[in-house]
Amino acid sequence: MIEPLVMDKTDPLCWLLMPQFSERIRQFSQAFTVTGTDNALTWFEACFGSGDHRMLGIALIDRSDERPSVVGHLLAGQETYLGQPVGMVYQFSKDKGKDYLKSDDGEKSPYLLMRQMLEYWCRGHGIQQCYGLVDGAARAKLFGWFGFDDNMRIVRMQLPVHT
């Protein structure tokens, strides 16, 4: 059975899953950033350890084996755009071969539960809009299943660093 879990320092299961969750963040950063590194893991670990809720981590966990494993994750943070708080999903991934759109037991699907968790977190911070960073049509489709609409493109200019 696959289920989402908000990574919270008060939950002992989260501490057990933290090495797997951290590794997923690190691997995602290596695969999807220009430089192969960013501060997503450092920032999340600092927020997690201090109980700072400006960053949200959701682990998709599979409990079918003896020990639960992380098979997907979402990482979001609070940003500001033109003086207003906005949510930003930095990372959202799932393992291939797993069906997250349906529930094994007839309950809400893991995707629907994750979306509700994200919406609840946003509302708790006074956030009325949430954005996601994607690098192509396949990732936009993944976010589309989650309820995001593909209505804008973000372009980027990498500034050279001269020494």
Side-chain angles (χ1 to χ4, degrees):
M1 179 172 158
I2 297 171
E3 62 188 65
L5 173 70
V6 173
M7 297 296 287
D8 187 291
K9 80 174 203 170
T10 62
D11 186 339
L13 179 58
C14 293
W15 285 100
L16 175 71
L17 297 172
M18 191 60 169
Q20 292 177 56
F21 193 78
S22 296
E23 182 61 17
R24 288 187 72 92
I25 293 172
R26 189 188 62 71
Q27 288 177 356
F28 190 100
S29 293
Q30 284 180 336
F32 293 104
T33 59
V34 174
T35 61
T37 184
D38 60 21
N39 68 339
L41 179 57
T42 304
W43 188 29
F44 177 74
E45 288 176 338
C47 288
F48 178 83
S50 67
D52 184 343
H53 296 287
R54 289 178 295 166
M55 188 132 196
L56 172 69
I58 301 175
L60 271 175
I61 58 173
D62 185 349
R63 293 183 184 256
S64 60
D65 294 330
E66 286 182 29
R67 183 176 175 145
S69 59
V70 179
V71 295
H73 79 285
L74 180 141
L75 190 65
Q78 181 179 344
E79 300 284 346
T80 303
Y81 179 70
L82 298 175
Q84 295 296 311
V86 296
M88 181 63 72
V89 176
Y90 306 113
Q91 298 185 3
F92 181 35
S93 73
K94 63 178 188 65
D95 292 354
K96 291 183 180 181
K98 303 280 185 180
D99 187 357
Y100 303 94
L101 299 176
K102 297 178 184 171
S103 175
D104 295 336
D105 57 7
E107 296 294 320
K108 293 181 181 176
S109 74
Y111 270 151
L112 182 58
L113 290 171
M114 287 178 75
R115 179 180 174 160
Q116 289 175 340
M117 290 170 171
L118 179 63
E119 289 174 358
Y120 179 79
W121 175 81
C122 285
R123 284 188 194 106
H125 289 281
I127 294 171
Q128 295 179 356
Q129 293 188 35
C130 189
Y131 298 92
L133 301 174
V134 298
D135 68 344
R139 305 269 326 147
K141 183 177 179 182
L142 175 64
F143 272 75
W145 288 336
F146 198 63
F148 285 81
D149 61 338
D150 187 9
N151 68 353
M152 71 171 64
R153 301 282 184 211
I154 296 176
V155 295
R156 173 182 57 211
M157 176 177 65
Q158 191 73 21
L159 300 174
V161 178
H162 298 287
T163 56

